Amino acid sequence: EDVRMVYRYLDIRRNPIKDALLLRQQVTNIVRNHLSGQKFCEVETPVLIKSTPEGARDFVVPSRMNPGSFYALPQSPQTFKQLLMVSGMDRYFQIVKCFRDEELR
């Protein structure tokens, strides 16, 4: 596994990996086109946020500009969904990556 990660560019050339990447891209495009056709607005929310106490443990990223301060990678866009709903934007979508630390505490 370590060798595969070192030579990831060779691994991606293999059909199962390449096919999975292409399938993901096709599915994402289908979802985007369908939702856009239904008058939904695609939004992007920040990738670095202030840590919140609920849910799984955060993946924490140190701040270069503020030594001793940290940002968290979002576990879900829930906070931003609530802001959008309150502001009156009820037809939106986001294809988002969620970062979770599922290890036992």
Side-chain angles (χ1 to χ4, degrees):
E1 188 66 22
D2 290 340
V3 173
R4 283 183 60 214
M5 290 298 114
V6 170
Y7 298 102
R8 189 68 173 157
Y9 61 94
L10 292 175
D11 197 31
I12 292 172
R13 294 179 69 163
R14 294 181 327 116
N15 281 337
I17 305 296
K18 184 171 47 175
D19 291 345
L21 288 171
L22 293 172
L23 177 62
R24 180 185 181 280
Q25 186 262 337
Q26 291 170 346
V27 169
T28 302
N29 279 343
I30 290 169
V31 169
R32 272 196 177 102
N33 292 337
H34 175 75
L35 291 173
S36 294
Q38 300 293 317
K39 304 290 189 225
F40 280 77
C41 174
E42 183 171 9
V43 298
E44 252 187 73
T45 57
V47 174
L48 295 176
I49 62 170
K50 193 174 182 178
S51 184
T52 57
E54 68 276 343
R57 277 193 316 227
D58 291 324
F59 284 106
V60 180
V61 179
S63 170
R64 261 187 323 118
M65 304 299 282
N66 302 306
S69 295
F70 296 87
Y71 291 102
L73 297 173
Q75 297 175 30
S76 75
Q78 184 64 33
T79 303
F80 302 109
K81 284 172 44 179
Q82 291 167 345
L83 288 171
L84 288 166
M85 295 297 281
V86 169
S87 70
M89 274 194 80
D90 56 349
R91 294 180 71 85
Y92 64 89
F93 72 97
Q94 178 178 9
I95 299 172
V96 63
K97 290 175 175 49
C98 296
F99 307 94
R100 297 179 64 91
D101 182 352
E102 297 291 351
E103 287 186 9
L104 297 175
R105 293 183 182 196

